Amino acid sequence: MHDKQLTVADTLSLGFMTFAFFLGAGNLIFPPFAGYQAGDHSYTAMLGFLITAVGLPLAGLIAVAKAKGRVMRMLPATAATLFAAAIYIIIGPAFAAPRTSLVAFEIGARPFLTDVESTLTIGGLVLNEAQLYFTAAFFAVVMLLAAFPGRLMDSVGKVLTPVLLLLLVALALSVVEFIGNPMPAATGDYALHPLSKGIVEGYNTMDTLASLMFGVLIIDLLRQKDIHDTSLQTRYLIWAALIAAAGLAFVYVSLFILGATAGDLAKGTENGGQILTNYVTHQFGYAGTIALSVVVSLACLTTAVGLVSACSDFFSSLLPKLTYRMLVVLLSVICAVVANVGLSQLISISIPVLMMVYPVAIALVLVTFVNNWFRNPRLAHRAALSVALIFGIFDGLKVAAASLQSFDVKSESPVTMALVHFVEGVSPVMSKMPLYDQGMAWLVPTLIVVIGCFFFGKKPPINS
């Protein structure tokens, strides 16, 4: 029986679907704020951002295709399960899913609320009242849609994706015509090393982590279309990845330039969602704000449902005693609680975690591409990922210690001070590593191990 062939239209559809997978509405908030902070170094910072926010997800999808969907096959079963679980937690209840409700609140609700600063205290915690009620309602809807999936999500998705694409194209074209302000001077790390800062900023999209999961999902979809030949699967997945990468680059470049030239529209903002809202209101008036609000809110909702569903499905297979619907309820509640940290704070908390996990994901993509050159592929995979993890953990701890020290004196708990002292004690040694100051101390040691494995290591038996 011959495998079916996708038509050009089917291939384009697959590419747009892959683009929609990656473009959660949260991805709209990072480029404007990065462009604003990078200022006159925006183009260099943008290049770095595109490497990790577009190039690496593209490479991740191709790596999954190359590995025939088994990208973690060289790792011990326990390590592979733990790494997969870590990715699902990060793109699920820990960061990405709660972030969807916060983006929906910032862009979809805040512009229309008159009292967004009122607070209430629960168990000693001071919470934004409007945000609390919004996130509770948001994840109640997410829970119902994820627990009882039906045609509603399909129909919303089919309508939403084209509308979102049209909105983004209109936004990008308006940026081209927008007579913006001169780019301001770069601030912070963007003034010192904009390329590497842009690379690290691209971690926030979490798309490289997601690509390792999306690649497997796309292969499953191709199998459902009776395409079982691995070479055909690889070809179509690569085409889908290229289409998605082109779409992401188009969006990110326009939003980066928007942030860099926003001028007064960006002053006093705490995140890119506020810059985007200010810009749309300035350019398109109240009607534009309403359109952006509706589309982004629906995009956030469908993204959250997809993330909660995927995580519930994964953990129900990992923990058989917990049913899918039990996990949907549990994860929705966790997401609602985590979301009330606030968007800017959640991004700050996520950075140390991403600094730890991202090097491992990048190393996994790299070793998958050069797998045929290793004398002992299994040893090479484990060695490279171990080195990336060790150095990545320190990069993450360094960022966490710096963040904690910037808080008020109440944060000076024994745990905080122990972390700060540990980082200060190890820093004199770690600071000798190339790219230490840029938060990428892991890169050179990992590359050395990868290259070394081309020449060293006992070849395994043929039947191993």
Side-chain angles (χ1 to χ4, degrees):
M1 183 175 67
H2 295 291
D3 281 15
K4 289 177 62 178
Q5 300 271 339
L6 292 185
T7 64
V8 173
D10 288 337
T11 305
L12 288 173
S13 177
L14 184 67
F16 284 125
M17 181 194 72
T18 306
F19 169 75
F21 278 169
F22 282 114
L23 192 71
N27 296 43
L28 303 178
I29 67 176
F30 296 111
F33 202 60
Y36 173 54
Q37 292 180 313
D40 55 0
H41 290 172
S42 283
Y43 293 111
T44 305
M46 186 198 303
L47 175 61
F49 186 88
L50 292 176
I51 289 172
T52 42
V54 178
L56 285 176
L58 169 63
L61 287 176
I62 296 173
V64 171
K66 188 174 185 297
K68 299 178 176 62
R70 299 176 60 240
V71 74
M72 300 182 194
R73 69 194 186 284
M74 296 292 180
L75 302 179
T78 302
T81 301
L82 288 174
F83 186 47
I87 291 175
Y88 274 106
I89 289 171
I90 290 169
I91 66 173
F95 300 116
R99 193 173 70 190
T100 59
S101 70
L102 292 172
V103 173
F105 177 73
E106 287 287 348
I107 297 177
R110 184 185 283 272
F112 307 102
L113 299 176
T114 55
D115 184 13
V116 292
E117 302 304 329
S118 61
T119 61
L120 51 83
T121 303
I122 300 178
L125 295 175
V126 179
L127 303 175
N128 182 296
E129 187 174 3
Q131 181 178 279
L132 175 64
Y133 294 144
F134 182 90
T135 52
F138 183 92
F139 280 107
V141 176
V142 168
M143 180 175 64
L144 290 172
L145 291 175
F148 303 98
R151 293 184 179 178
L152 176 62
M153 286 304 299
D154 289 336
S155 59
V156 169
K158 287 177 181 177
V159 173
L160 175 66
T161 300
V163 173
L164 182 59
L165 283 171
L166 288 173
L167 180 71
L168 291 172
V169 169
L171 189 65
L173 293 176
S174 76
V175 170
V176 173
E177 297 180 0
F178 176 54
I179 303 175
N181 299 273
M183 293 184 183
T187 60
D189 289 339
Y190 284 109
L192 300 174
H193 29 76
L195 179 64
S196 55
K197 175 62 175 174
I199 288 173
V200 173
E201 188 69 21
Y203 290 0
N204 282 319
T205 65
M206 305 186 196
D207 282 346
T208 302
L209 302 180
S211 70
L212 301 175
M213 302 300 140
F214 290 159
V216 176
L217 176 61
I218 293 169
I219 287 176
D220 286 342
L221 291 174
L222 290 171
R223 286 172 181 156
Q224 291 173 20
K225 292 181 176 290
D226 293 328
I227 299 173
H228 301 282
D229 182 80
T230 55
S231 62
L232 281 177
Q233 290 175 356
T234 300
R235 182 198 306 172
Y236 292 134
L237 185 48
I238 289 174
W239 273 112
L242 290 170
I243 293 168
L248 289 172
F250 173 75
V251 172
Y252 290 152
V253 167
S254 61
L255 292 178
F256 229 97
I257 295 172
L258 185 159
T261 60
D264 290 341
L265 297 176
K267 286 184 178 178
T269 57
E270 296 181 354
N271 56 69
Q274 295 171 2
I275 295 176
L276 186 58
T277 301
N278 291 348
Y279 174 79
V280 169
T281 302
H282 178 269
Q283 287 294 95
F284 302 103
Y286 193 67
T289 305
I290 293 175
L292 181 69
S293 168
V294 171
V295 174
V296 168
S297 296
L298 287 173
C300 288
L301 185 65
T302 54
T303 299
V305 172
L307 292 174
V308 169
S309 298
C311 290
S312 300
D313 188 56
F314 173 78
F315 286 108
S316 64
S317 63
L318 198 62
L319 305 167
K321 291 185 179 180
L322 296 176
T323 65
Y324 170 81
R325 285 184 178 168
M326 288 170 60
L327 283 163
V328 165
V329 174
L330 177 63
L331 292 176
S332 297
V333 171
I334 292 173
C335 288
V337 172
V338 172
N340 281 282
V341 170
L343 182 56
S344 300
Q345 292 79 6
L346 186 62
I347 292 171
S348 297
I349 295 170
S350 69
I351 290 174
V353 178
L354 295 175
M355 295 285 282
M356 296 180 191
V357 176
Y358 242 80
V360 182
I362 296 171
L364 179 60
V365 172
L366 174 61
V367 294
T368 301
F369 270 99
V370 298
N371 185 66
N372 294 337
W373 295 1
F374 293 131
R375 290 176 60 84
N376 188 328
R378 194 176 301 274
L379 173 65
H381 279 239
R382 297 179 182 187
L385 268 60
S386 297
V387 170
L389 177 62
I390 291 169
F391 282 92
I393 286 174
F394 181 78
D395 280 337
L397 291 177
K398 183 182 71 171
V399 172
S403 297
L404 289 171
Q405 282 182 301
S406 68
F407 292 163
D408 58 34
V409 292
K410 293 180 182 179
S411 68
E412 294 184 1
S413 66
V415 175
T416 299
M417 298 315 296
L419 173 60
V420 171
H421 291 319
F422 171 77
V423 171
E424 290 176 346
V426 179
S427 289
V429 177
M430 293 292 292
S431 62
K432 306 294 183 184
M433 300 299 301
L435 303 177
Y436 167 83
D437 290 334
Q438 289 93 315
M440 295 192 295
W442 62 273
L443 183 58
V444 173
T446 304
L447 288 176
I448 290 173
V449 169
V450 169
I451 294 171
C453 288
F454 294 159
F455 307 100
F456 302 102
K458 185 178 179 181
K459 291 186 177 181
I462 296 175
N463 60 352
S464 66

